[in-house]
Amino acid sequence: MDRLKDTIVSKGKVVSESVLKVDSFLNHQIDCDLVDEAGEHFFSYFKDRSVDRIMTVESSGIAVATACARYFRKPVVFAKKQKPGTMTGDALTTQVHSFTKNTDYTLTLSKEFIQKGENILIMDDFLARGNAASGLADLVETAGAAVAGVGIVIEKGFQPGASILESRGYDVYSLAVIESLENNRVLFK
Ligand code: 5GP
């Protein structure tokens, strides 16, 4: 997606050789036109699949998942990183290691929002080592549902996330794949 790549180059900040900051348009302040276009691209790619819900993890995946879900006319469900006191029914949980915070956290999803036999499209802002998306896939499969595909806004192709997810049999579609962040420069694949 050319507009996304242009925005990454003009507004993204290379924090290190493995981390890109996109706070000004994707995961702190949100460029709604850009995110809507991203949602449309995901819809074009996945529209022939059966999709019952779009699933992401709070908080950075929610905007793009919502943009895409409007095209599918299906709900978005996001796994929570802390179990709220109001979540009283049965819940599914799984442990995930955070790439950016280097700590473990528990993903929690209320069982009522994912049903056996459903097809779930997983979506996130970044793909690095694949822990967040794998955790979401674990929740989907534990619920007896199936992963319809994985949509990623920015994949860091020099990290193993995509191959880990593909080895589980999932189709991973990324709008921008970064080959390198070396020398303070974004190089796309
Ligand atoms: P993974 O679980 O694939 O290792 O990492 C993906 C998660 O970590 C995403 O949900 C994203 O929020 C965060 N993340 C991974 N790499 C980056 C990065 O380079 N920049 C930012 N801003 N977040 C990242």
Side-chain angles (χ1 to χ4, degrees):
M1 188 182 145
D2 290 342
R3 180 174 173 185
L4 172 64
K5 289 183 184 166
D6 291 345
T7 309
I8 290 171
V9 169
S10 61
K11 296 187 175 159
K13 293 193 174 106
V14 178
V15 174
S16 69
E17 288 190 353
S18 62
V19 176
L20 176 71
K21 196 170 167 182
V22 293
D23 285 31
S24 64
F25 59 95
L26 191 59
N27 62 20
H28 195 6
Q29 173 171 264
I30 292 170
D31 178 336
C32 299
D33 284 342
L34 179 73
V35 165
D36 185 60
E37 197 177 317
E40 196 177 0
H41 273 261
F42 285 128
F43 177 69
S44 302
Y45 185 82
F46 289 112
K47 65 180 184 309
D48 296 329
R49 317 271 168 96
S50 171
V51 171
D52 298 296
R53 297 174 207 257
I54 315 250
M55 186 183 183
T56 188
V57 52
E58 68 173 348
S59 60
S60 304
I62 297 175
V64 71
T66 304
C68 182
R70 286 175 60 83
Y71 289 92
F72 273 103
R73 298 188 169 273
K74 297 290 180 188
V76 174
V77 58
F78 58 92
K80 303 212 177 208
K81 290 179 177 166
Q82 277 185 336
K83 188 176 178 185
T86 49
M87 193 186 276
T88 48
D90 286 345
L92 301 166
T93 60
T94 191
Q95 285 287 114
V96 167
H97 186 77
S98 165
F99 175 79
T100 43
K101 298 194 180 87
N102 198 24
T103 52
D104 290 345
Y105 61 92
T106 306
L107 280 185
T108 305
L109 182 77
S110 189
K111 268 190 178 166
E112 69 179 294
F113 298 126
I114 186 163
Q115 299 292 320
K116 195 172 174 181
E118 286 185 338
N119 294 300
I120 310 294
L121 180 58
I122 289 174
M123 213 155 268
D124 206 2
D125 60 339
F126 269 96
L127 182 61
R129 296 189 182 132
N131 295 320
S134 294
L136 291 173
D138 292 342
L139 294 177
V140 169
E141 290 181 353
T142 305
V147 174
V150 180
I152 299 292
V153 181
I154 304 171
E155 175 189 328
K156 288 179 290 176
F158 54 90
Q159 292 174 320
S163 45
I164 289 169
L165 295 170
E166 282 161 1
S167 71
R168 287 181 68 165
Y170 308 140
D171 180 16
V172 179
Y173 176 62
S174 305
L175 301 183
V177 181
I178 293 175
E179 190 169 289
S180 155
L181 292 173
E182 285 169 20
N183 304 317
N184 214 24
R185 224 175 111 239
V186 181
L187 193 70
F188 294 102
K189 207 159 188 169

